[in-house]
């Protein structure tokens, strides 16, 4: 078993310490967030409102609305990944 405090650990120290501040994401999804992925200072969220959004982790502001129920996506988003 690997020691999570070792320098060879793949866990980021922020993961171990937890969040520093609660920053609301704006605008919020209309329904529950079902998945997310984080890359650097951005997070992509997928929701039961059929939307995918990219937010800034620094400001909490929506940077991009990728899909919505009315524009190209008709099902809940249950998985997402930055590529």
């Amino acid at each position: 078993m690997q020691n999570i405090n070792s320098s060879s650990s793949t866990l980021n120290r922020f993961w171990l310490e937890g969040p520093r501040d609660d920053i609301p994401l704006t605008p919020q999804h209309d329904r529950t967030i079902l998945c997310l992925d984080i890359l650097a200072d951005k997070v992509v969220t997928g929701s039961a409102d059929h939307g995918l959004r990219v937010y800034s982790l620094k400001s909490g502001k929506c940077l991009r609305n990728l899909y919505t129920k009315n524009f190209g996506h008709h099902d809940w988003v249950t998985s997402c990944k930055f590529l």
Side-chain angles (χ1 to χ4, degrees):
M1 185 161 151
Q2 184 178 4
N3 180 352
I4 61 172
N5 292 322
S6 72
S7 62
S8 64
S9 173
T10 58
L11 291 177
N12 185 308
R13 70 180 175 90
F14 296 117
W15 175 264
L16 297 172
E17 294 172 6
R20 301 210 184 273
D21 294 314
D22 289 337
I23 299 172
L25 301 178
T26 55
Q28 296 179 352
H29 284 278
D30 295 332
R31 297 190 62 197
T32 305
I33 292 174
L34 301 173
C35 58
L36 62 87
D37 190 32
I38 298 172
L39 179 66
D41 66 338
K42 295 182 180 109
V43 61
V44 61
T45 58
S47 171
D49 68 2
H50 306 213
L52 273 164
R53 294 183 181 172
V54 178
Y55 292 95
S56 164
L57 288 175
K58 291 180 181 177
S59 69
K61 302 286 185 213
C62 183
L63 302 175
R64 190 165 182 197
N65 196 358
L66 300 174
Y67 290 103
T68 67
K69 191 174 194 175
N70 298 327
F71 297 102
H73 207 267
H74 302 287
D75 292 315
W76 291 5
V77 180
T78 58
S79 64
C80 58
K81 177 78 176 153
F82 276 107
L83 296 177

